[in-house]
Amino acid sequence: MIPVFLSAGEVVLFQTSDLHGSVFPAGERAGAPAVLSALSGDAERTGREKSLLIDCGDLLQGTLESAADQG
């Protein structure tokens, strides 16, 4: 294995996890549009060219909305 080193300067990481297809708000949980809007605003403030979003899984499974059309 050859190590790879990148010089990218400053990068801002955004991480999401376990959204479970929450398209609409439910109780205290914000729906996907609210989460994406917040992330988009944060990326604008930090600079989109310096922003990287990493989703750690369970984005599209777990609710009736996502199960109805299989994601």
Side-chain angles (χ1 to χ4, degrees):
M1 179 183 273
I2 300 171
V4 176
F5 298 97
L6 301 175
S7 177
E10 183 179 316
V11 176
V12 179
L13 299 176
F14 297 96
Q15 181 266 325
T16 58
S17 178
D18 298 303
L19 291 176
H20 292 288
S22 295
V23 176
F24 303 108
E28 293 184 22
R29 291 176 27 191
V35 171
L36 294 176
S37 177
L39 287 170
S40 181
D42 288 343
E44 274 302 316
R45 283 188 289 284
T46 60
R48 290 193 180 275
E49 68 281 351
K50 297 178 185 179
S51 301
L52 177 62
L53 169 63
I54 299 173
D55 181 75
C56 294
D58 293 338
L59 175 65
L60 296 176
Q61 63 87 14
T63 63
L64 178 61
E65 294 90 3
S66 64
D69 67 358
Q70 296 160 353

